[in-house]
């Protein structure tokens, strides 16, 4: 089941990268980075990492469980619930705050007993994304329904 899932995700990543290369320009007419820069970068990295995971899953296929266990389904349902919760938080609190809350909750559930590392990641990753979007790309994070005081 893991291999089939990874193959579907790989197909999606390849399609995403294809669209990024075909429909979005890499540079603007003035010579600055265009709207295709970031999607191309993300697409290529996604294809490489997912392909690596596919090859790893094919190599370890003999040692994995052939049938889907209940814990695998509960993990999938948990991840879907976290994604829906993140979408709600994103609309309510905006990109930065929603991402901090989502990462803090997801890492507390999936990376237990590493509280310091989880806290650092929950703040550092959204801060890096905010700086990337705001400073380098001159793009805004998703707006909030409720304005935050900071």
């Amino acid at each position: 089941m893991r291999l089939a899932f990874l193959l579907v995700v790989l197909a999606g990543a390849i399609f995403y990268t294809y669209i990024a290369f075909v429909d979005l320009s890499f540079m603007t007419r003035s010579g600055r980075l265009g709207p295709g820069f970031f999607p191309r970068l993300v697409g290529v990295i996604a294809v490489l990492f997912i392909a690596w995971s596919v090859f790893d899953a094919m190599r370890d296929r003999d040692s994995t469980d052939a049938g889907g266990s209940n814990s695998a389904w509960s993990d999938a349902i948990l991840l879907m619930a976290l994604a829906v919760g993140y979408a709600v938080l994103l609309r309510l609190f905006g990109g930065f705050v929603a991402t901090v809350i989502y990462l803090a909750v997801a890492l507390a559930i999936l990376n237990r007993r590493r509280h310091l590392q989880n806290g650092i990641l929950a703040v550092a990753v959204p801060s890096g994304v905010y700086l990337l979007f705001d400073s380098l790309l001159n793009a805004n994070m998703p707006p909030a329904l409720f304005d935050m005081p900071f």
Side-chain angles (χ1 to χ4, degrees):
M1 182 166 170
R2 178 178 178 227
L3 182 59
F5 172 76
L6 287 172
L7 287 172
V8 170
V9 173
L10 180 62
I14 290 170
F15 179 71
Y16 170 85
T17 307
Y18 171 76
I19 296 297
F21 274 91
V22 171
D23 288 346
L24 301 173
S25 60
F26 185 73
M27 302 289 275
T28 63
R29 292 180 190 205
S30 63
R32 298 182 71 196
L33 292 176
F37 170 74
F38 195 65
R40 287 179 184 188
L41 181 68
V42 169
V44 168
I45 290 171
V47 168
L48 290 175
F49 277 118
I50 297 167
W52 181 9
S53 297
V54 166
F55 291 129
D56 187 49
M58 288 171 46
R59 188 180 54 201
D60 294 338
R61 200 165 88 186
D62 295 334
S63 63
T64 59
D65 184 9
S69 65
N70 288 337
S71 68
W73 286 106
S74 65
D75 288 344
I77 291 170
L78 174 68
L79 290 174
M80 286 189 288
L82 284 171
V84 169
Y86 179 63
V88 170
L89 287 173
L90 194 62
R91 180 70 179 130
L92 292 176
F93 300 117
F96 182 77
V97 175
T99 306
V100 169
I101 295 169
Y102 168 75
L103 281 177
V105 171
L107 289 171
I109 294 171
L110 300 173
N111 193 23
R112 294 184 177 109
R113 294 183 300 273
R114 294 191 174 185
H115 305 296
L116 180 63
Q117 179 185 19
N118 294 345
I120 291 170
L121 283 173
V123 173
V125 170
S127 297
V129 169
Y130 176 77
L131 289 174
L132 173 73
F133 273 75
D134 191 52
S135 300
L136 255 62
L137 300 175
N138 200 20
N140 294 330
M141 294 288 284
L145 188 61
F146 302 114
D147 289 331
M148 293 285 124
F150 47 88

